[in-house]
Amino acid sequence: MNTLLPILVIFSIPLFMNAYEKKIKLIQWLSPVVCCYAVGILVGNIPGLNWDPKLARTLSEGGLMFALPMLLFATDFVRWFKLAKTTIISFLLLMASVMVVSFVCGHLFKSYDPEVWKMAGMLVGVYVGGTANLTAIGKILNIREEAFIALNAADVAVGAVYLLIILSLGVKILSLFLKPFNHDFYPEDEMDLIHWKELSLFKKMRNSTLLMLLCGVLVAVSLLASKIITGEESAGVVILSVTVLSLGLSFFHKIRNFEGSQELGHYFLLVFCVGVGSLADINVLLSGNGWYFLLCGLVLFGSIVLHFGLCYFFKIDRDTAVITSMAGIFGPAFIPPMSDVLKNRAILVSGITCALVGIAVGNFVGLFVAYLLK
């Protein structure tokens, strides 16, 4: 039962969300992505429930690894390349915002703890790259264990608040002052979804099987590449490999227009959302000293406000501003869900690219700010 329950919940909830999205207004308003996160958090924190977090994590990671290539298969890379300049500018603005705000907060909180300069550097690393950068910088600077644990818990809690905001009301608020994304050179084409609905059950099963087999091969090759390059299963290398291979296949007309890749990719994306939501331990989120939460909150939301303000000044469109914010703060795993909320697959590649660049440079900029404060 301990094994069966996560499998049933994680794979059945997305089916329900897809089936009732147009019938239940709350699902339609919040989006299936947000609802799947919410259900995952609820289920994962029910007292006495036989929930297996290790299995849930495995299923969520598997969902992402299948969703990512399916969504990327439909990418027109040539048209996407026109987005690169704006994306780079927006991501550089995010990096600058995080570095400036972290530096200022490091000065403001220096009386709270002699190792605040280390924490400021770690927060730069995590909000430009990811959790791996926060851990790496903490190890390099030899921060004490209790401070590391408290800062990690505060980062998870504050990050969860921003994630819920940006996936729901945040996008609507940003629409009020950031210009809309220009779809003229990258129009959204939903014909593949229309064709998918018209296919017979046999063809849907055939297409789904072929897509899953193809994605399985891509993931296997990516895992092998990671083992050869790093000696372990590195998430960054695996995601980069899957992205490159999927984009390569997208140049083939038959694969780019294969019926069902978006529909099935969207389903596996929701599988990821339910699974990763169930891993959020509310008790851990509420632990830690208050000033750690205040420090993380000021750095995170201060950086966000400054970044979006600069995007307004530099006339960056809403979708690009949001996806680069997600890329730095949450990493590549959360780009597909955000792209789905924005209903804009054109920015999928841009977001993942920025996230991977952030992971690559996060340690360097984090250490730079830390030693500048010291």
Side-chain angles (χ1 to χ4, degrees), residues 85-335:
K85 181 180 178 181
T86 304
T87 305
I88 291 170
I89 293 172
S90 182
F91 194 68
L92 287 175
L93 293 176
L94 172 71
M95 287 179 58
S97 299
V98 173
M99 292 172 72
V100 169
V101 174
S102 294
F103 182 82
V104 172
C105 289
H107 271 295
L108 293 175
F109 283 81
K110 62 183 179 181
S111 62
Y112 283 81
D113 193 300
E115 293 192 324
V116 163
W117 64 277
K118 298 179 182 180
M119 298 176 199
M122 291 167 66
L123 291 176
V124 172
V126 75
Y127 296 140
V128 169
T131 303
N133 298 94
L134 179 142
T135 303
I137 294 171
K139 295 293 184 183
I140 292 170
L141 298 177
N142 196 28
I143 193 168
R144 65 185 191 280
E145 186 176 352
E146 62 270 23
F148 175 82
I149 294 172
L151 193 67
N152 235 316
D155 165 56
V156 171
V158 173
V161 172
Y162 176 50
L163 183 63
L164 291 175
I165 292 173
I166 197 64
L167 286 175
S168 52
L169 296 175
V171 171
K172 296 179 176 63
I173 294 171
L174 290 172
S175 300
L176 299 176
F177 65 93
L178 291 179
K179 69 177 186 178
F181 181 84
N182 184 5
H183 288 276
D184 291 344
F185 59 84
Y186 204 121
E188 290 296 319
D189 185 7
E190 296 186 353
M191 287 306 295
D192 56 340
L193 297 181
I194 296 173
H195 292 160
W196 171 257
K197 292 175 182 177
E198 295 176 349
L199 292 180
S200 64
L201 179 61
F202 170 77
K203 289 184 177 180
K204 285 183 178 180
M205 292 180 65
R206 180 200 63 187
N207 286 17
S208 298
T209 302
L210 290 173
L211 283 167
M212 291 178 69
L213 286 173
L214 180 57
C215 291
V217 171
L218 294 185
V219 172
V221 171
S222 299
L223 287 170
L224 180 61
S226 177
K227 286 280 189 180
I228 293 172
I229 296 171
T230 67
E232 60 182 7
E233 294 180 3
S234 169
V237 175
V238 173
I239 291 175
L240 178 60
S241 300
V242 169
T243 300
V244 170
L245 292 171
S246 302
L247 286 175
L249 290 175
S250 72
F251 283 92
F252 293 93
H253 180 77
K254 286 187 177 180
I255 291 181
R256 191 168 67 245
N257 294 280
F258 195 78
E259 287 95 345
S261 62
Q262 288 186 72
E263 185 98 343
L264 199 59
H266 177 71
Y267 168 76
F268 279 111
L269 179 62
L270 296 182
V271 167
F272 164 77
C273 294
V274 177
V276 79
S278 71
L279 299 175
D281 189 334
I282 293 178
N283 292 323
V284 173
L285 298 183
L286 297 178
S287 65
N289 293 324
W291 75 267
Y292 285 104
F293 289 90
L294 183 59
L295 173 61
C296 284
L298 286 176
V299 172
L300 176 58
F301 288 100
S303 301
I304 291 166
V305 171
L306 181 58
H307 173 230
F308 287 137
L310 290 172
C311 285
Y312 173 79
F313 180 78
F314 281 90
K315 302 188 186 315
I316 304 294
D317 64 88
R318 182 201 68 178
D319 291 8
T320 300
V322 169
I323 211 67
T324 49
S325 177
M326 292 292 288
I329 295 168
F330 295 109
F334 289 88
I335 298 303

Side-chain angles (χ1 to χ4, degrees), residues 303-372:
S303 301
I304 291 166
V305 171
L306 181 58
H307 173 230
F308 287 137
L310 290 172
C311 285
Y312 173 79
F313 180 78
F314 281 90
K315 302 188 186 315
I316 304 294
D317 64 88
R318 182 201 68 178
D319 291 8
T320 300
V322 169
I323 211 67
T324 49
S325 177
M326 292 292 288
I329 295 168
F330 295 109
F334 289 88
I335 298 303
M338 194 69 247
S339 173
D340 190 72
V341 169
L342 294 169
K343 302 186 187 306
N344 186 354
R345 73 167 187 261
I347 56 173
L348 189 59
V349 180
S350 303
I352 292 172
T353 302
C354 285
L356 294 172
V357 169
I359 292 171
V361 303
N363 289 346
F364 300 103
V365 294
L367 290 171
F368 173 77
V369 170
Y371 283 117
L372 199 62

